Amino acid sequence: MTDFFMQFHPVVQALIATLFTWGVTAAGAALVFMPGLVKPKFMDCMLGFAAGVMIAASFWSLLAPGIEMAEGLGHTPWLTAVVGFLGGGIFMRLIDKFLPHLHPGLAMEHSEGVKTSWQRSTLLVLAITLHNIPEGLAVGVAFGAVAAGLPSATLGGALALAIGIGIQNFPEGTAVSMPLRREGMGKWKSFMYGQSSGLVEPVAGVIGAAFVLKMQNILPYALCFAAGAMIFVVVEELIPESQRNEKNIDIVTMATMVGFAVMMILDVALG
């Protein structure tokens, strides 16, 4: 797989990788055509699994390489990590505060962001789109980091991140399409809304890769920034959504740990 990617420019690599992650989002949304397969407990477990993947990716694929790169470039490693990490969280908080969105399973009066007359379906898509901004950015930055030639950034590591993000995108597509279908929307329209939530990833991926290629000195900050943005999404959205049903908390917690383990294996084995 690495040989295939090596023939392309880093921005193109990021585009291919994020098109893959969007495709997995679409695959998750396609479960709307098989509604009997998706039970509430299964959905909660998938969201918990996604949270575990994102937590592991934030450290193994983003924070740890960012700290190592900062040291190699003569920066103060802990300061770079803190500034980038908190910056990512603040960035996501601002988007969360102002962009209208609605988390799955909640009534319209619980919508967040600037108040608007947008339809419920649009707000649901925007909620999952918020998840995908830092994910696409993280993949793009990872491929841009490989082009910098620093030892801590490897093509295998970038591919592991893309695969991990793709795996956890599966439940996110389902999290949009299934609620819309339950509310009476047609299967095909529900699917289209679900897959569209992942379209932001190729855009964010290309921007992330192009940005760090132009300004490689801020690469450690960019990696830590992506990590902070992902952790914000996990703590603010994925974990609360996955554990809304108290009866499922234990099994969802185990699913989160399995997700962490899967991403850790991917990164260590490929990176």
Side-chain angles (χ1 to χ4, degrees), residues 16-207:
I16 295 172
T18 48
L19 285 173
F20 161 75
T21 61
W22 163 71
V24 181
T25 304
L31 288 185
V32 74
F33 297 109
M34 299 173 286
L37 295 179
V38 185
K39 305 297 183 183
K41 180 183 287 189
F42 180 62
M43 190 67 230
D44 290 344
C45 287
M46 287 200 300
L47 289 173
F49 180 89
V53 169
M54 289 182 70
I55 293 170
S58 296
F59 176 75
W60 295 98
S61 299
L62 298 170
L63 267 178
I67 292 170
E68 189 174 339
M69 286 180 193
E71 188 172 9
L73 292 171
H75 300 171
T76 304
W78 67 265
L79 181 61
T80 300
V82 168
V83 170
F85 184 81
L86 293 181
I90 292 170
F91 172 75
M92 289 304 299
R93 175 67 185 105
L94 291 174
I95 294 180
D96 187 70
K97 181 178 177 62
F98 293 108
L99 182 68
H101 62 283
L102 176 67
H103 298 297
L106 298 181
M108 281 293 289
E109 56 265 27
H110 295 294
S111 63
E112 300 179 27
V114 176
K115 296 304 177 183
T116 177
S117 60
W118 292 350
Q119 294 182 346
R120 177 181 176 85
S121 56
T122 302
L123 296 176
L124 284 169
V125 171
L126 287 175
I128 304 300
T129 300
L130 278 175
H131 296 188
N132 293 333
I133 292 173
E135 294 165 12
L137 181 66
V139 174
V141 169
F143 278 97
V146 176
L150 297 174
S152 55
T154 66
L155 185 56
L159 289 172
L161 177 61
I163 293 170
I165 294 296
I167 291 171
Q168 67 88 43
N169 272 359
F170 190 87
E172 293 187 353
T174 310
V176 175
S177 63
M178 292 303 296
L180 294 177
R181 177 57 182 161
R182 284 195 294 267
E183 291 172 10
M185 184 178 288
K187 291 182 180 180
W188 180 252
K189 193 172 182 180
S190 299
F191 165 74
M192 291 304 294
Y193 272 108
Q195 64 81 30
S196 67
S197 65
L199 287 175
V200 70
E201 289 199 5
V203 177
V206 167
I207 291 173

